[in-house]
Amino acid sequence: MNTNELDFSIQNIPFGIISSASNSKKRVASAYGSNAIDLTLVKFNGPLLGNGVAEKVFNQCFLNDFMELGRPAWREARQTLQNLIKENKLPAESLISLSQVQNHLPAKIGDYTDFYASKEHATNVGTMFRGKDNALMPNWVHIPVGYHGRASSVVVTGTNLKRPSGLILDPTTKLPYYSKSKKMDIELEVAFLVGKGNNLGEPIKFDDSEDHIFGMVLMNDWSSRDIQSYEYVPLGPFLGKNFGTTVSPWVVTLDAMEPFRTSQPHQDPKPADYLTGSSVHNAGDAYDVNLQVYYKTPKSKDTLICESNLKYMYWTFKQQLAHHTVNGCNMNTGDLCGSGTISGPTENSFGSLLELTWNGSKSLNIDGEERKFLEYWY
Ligand SMILES: O=C(O)/C=C/C(=O)CC(=O)CC(=O)O
Ligand SMILES: [Ca+2]
Ligand SMILES: [Mg+2]
């Protein structure tokens, strides 16, 4: 098999936390081909990771200590691993089949913020919640709109979540009643993890923002639409969102993403200077990454319901980080920032069931079964 075609090619070299049957201790790993690479069993001799530093930061149950070292150290780890792979010198004992490892939450996440960066998603949701004349608020094209989420309920993919209950509106009586959510939804997102933070009062400049981003994970911002649509006025998402958010276990660094750089959607009006920096505006700060959502019922096969792309984000991660800190807000190592639901221009690229079924007004065909939101037996 050509390993360049694998998710875990020599270009990728992601970082994550694993444990295994033979060693139940959580520790830092990378992945190559069909194996995890246990980084506690690899020798790192470089200037930044030698002298016992690697042993210290890789013998941890979260990536935070490694992330705190900064981009030159992340690069050194990546290059060391790429060289060892090329020379076929990875120690045999460091390789564990991915089917034999358990993946864990990659970082200790202190704070979680979720943005709202797809213009198509914001317009679609706004149309459904507020009507088409108030769909996209006038501020949306000037600032990357976001809200503070809840870090405690961010868990690794595969963790079971319970359907939330709460107050939802009865459209006839116009009064809320307590119920299990009947409109359980997903949100297709990519999130970045902050590597190095900033001091309170000292914004991260747009031009420096990439050095503060450790890497990206896939994220599902599970959402209860009936709880959300009742509670969100005027302060925004709360219990409809904070019952669980899942992230992928492997963090893909920005260096791995370099070949996929592309332009973001045209920004008109041109954003404020702190959101564009000194470079030519929109010089390629977006990433071309195909994203897919599959729906599976207990009986069905995996059924493709959405094909989107990370490049549809109107506001880039660099702009989001510059914006988040422009007022002096401090970010810490391990903070998680979600892109916002990544919907594209066509109907099959909508990143939530809310949009794909237009708030339940039409159904999806899942391998012969009809679905609107995530099944609820009334
Ligand atoms: O009230 C609205 O317009 C909707 C807000 C959200 O659903 C927030 C959210 O999670 C943003 C996103 O994922 O793009
Ligand atoms: Ca979201
Ligand atoms: Mg969520």
Side-chain angles (χ1 to χ4, degrees):
M1 193 184 300
N2 179 354
T3 45
N4 283 323
E5 286 166 15
L6 295 171
D7 287 343
F8 300 119
S9 68
I10 194 162
Q11 170 62 26
N12 191 338
I13 315 292
F15 295 95
I17 299 293
I18 61 157
S19 61
S20 52
S22 57
N23 182 356
S24 62
K25 204 167 164 270
K26 290 183 189 172
R27 56 217 193 262
V28 176
S30 184
Y32 176 65
S34 52
N35 288 317
I37 311 169
D38 179 343
L39 299 190
T40 65
L41 299 174
V42 177
K43 194 107 195 83
F44 291 86
N45 297 318
L48 300 170
L49 292 168
N51 291 321
V53 175
E55 283 84 342
K56 202 170 139 274
V57 300
F58 293 146
N59 265 299
Q60 298 290 337
C61 56
F62 289 115
L63 290 171
N64 295 50
D65 286 3
F66 175 51
M67 291 158 78
E68 217 172 328
L69 295 178
R71 197 168 193 184
W74 314 330
R75 283 197 169 135
E76 191 177 299
R78 172 179 168 79
Q79 276 156 14
T80 303
L81 291 168
Q82 287 177 325
N83 290 340
L84 290 170
I85 289 168
K86 278 186 209 143
E87 293 161 15
N88 210 6
K89 281 191 183 150
L90 278 174
E93 65 275 17
S94 70
L95 300 175
I96 314 167
S97 168
L98 284 169
S99 62
Q100 302 295 311
V101 304
Q102 201 181 340
N103 290 107
H104 303 277
L105 190 67
K108 188 168 168 53
I109 299 165
D111 274 306
Y112 156 49
T113 299
D114 195 19
F115 285 94
Y116 196 31
S118 148
K119 195 173 193 175
E120 289 80 5
H121 172 72
T123 307
N124 290 339
V125 177
T127 305
M128 284 181 263
F129 281 16
R130 291 176 286 277
K132 99 176 156 2
D133 295 337
N134 299 307
L136 199 66
M137 293 292 169
N139 64 353
W140 195 94
V141 290
H142 292 281
I143 50 173
V145 171
Y147 69 97
H148 285 123
R150 180 98 195 144
S152 64
S153 49
V154 180
V155 291
V156 72
T157 300
T159 306
N160 283 329
L161 295 178
K162 281 195 183 157
R163 181 179 295 262
S165 294
L167 286 186
I168 62 184
L169 190 69
D170 181 326
T172 318
T173 63
K174 304 271 188 284
L175 288 170
Y177 65 102
Y178 180 82
S179 167
K180 279 200 161 138
S181 173
K182 298 170 188 176
K183 289 191 173 175
M184 268 303 305
D185 201 354
I186 55 105
E187 285 189 332
L188 167 63
E189 299 199 27
V190 173
F192 70 84
L193 283 163
V194 174
K196 255 187 148 17
N198 58 307
N199 295 326
L200 184 63
E202 295 171 16
I204 295 175
K205 292 200 180 69
F206 175 88
D207 290 331
D208 300 333
S209 55
E210 283 183 5
D211 290 340
H212 291 264
I213 298 177
F214 176 67
M216 303 180 193
V217 287
L218 289 169
M219 189 171 104
N220 183 354
D221 180 19
W222 299 88
S223 298
S224 158
R225 298 304 179 188
D226 36 14
I227 295 175
Q228 180 187 354
S229 58
Y230 185 64
E231 73 176 359
Y232 86 103
V233 186
L235 291 186
F238 191 37
L239 305 183
K241 298 275 186 182
N242 69 7
F243 58 91
T245 305
T246 42
V247 293
S248 59
W250 295 107
V251 188
V252 178
T253 62
L254 285 199
D255 287 322
M257 298 299 297
E258 273 304 305
F260 307 103
R261 268 186 191 277
T262 189
S263 306
Q264 75 203 85
H266 177 64
Q267 292 190 311
D268 183 19
K270 187 174 179 290
D273 289 349
Y274 80 86
L275 291 168
T276 58
S278 62
S279 59
V280 180
H281 177 220
N282 196 6
D285 293 333
Y287 298 94
D288 185 354
V289 181
N290 289 323
L291 299 166
Q292 296 180 321
V293 179
Y294 288 82
Y295 193 132
K296 186 178 176 345
T297 76
K299 287 186 232 149
S300 79
K301 340 189 252 284
D302 285 339
T303 302
L304 183 65
I305 57 167
C306 160
E307 288 187 89
S308 190
N309 193 298
L310 185 54
K311 71 180 177 194
Y312 297 144
M313 277 175 78
Y314 184 91
W315 296 106
T316 63
F317 289 140
K318 284 175 75 171
Q319 292 178 317
Q320 291 177 340
L321 188 54
H323 182 65
H324 204 315
T325 61
V326 69
N327 65 344
C329 172
N330 52 330
M331 308 296 289
N332 289 308
T333 300
D335 285 354
L336 180 76
C337 292
S339 56
T341 309
I342 304 166
S343 295
T346 55
E347 272 185 44
N348 72 334
S349 65
F350 293 170
S352 65
L353 296 168
L354 178 72
E355 295 164 272
L356 289 165
T357 69
W358 211 255
N359 201 13
S361 65
K362 55 186 181 190
S363 302
L364 296 174
N365 179 344
I366 308 296
D367 192 22
E369 292 175 75
E370 236 182 59
R371 286 292 193 280
K372 290 177 173 161
F373 291 93
L374 298 177
E375 183 78 342
Y376 174 79
W377 288 269
Y378 297 87

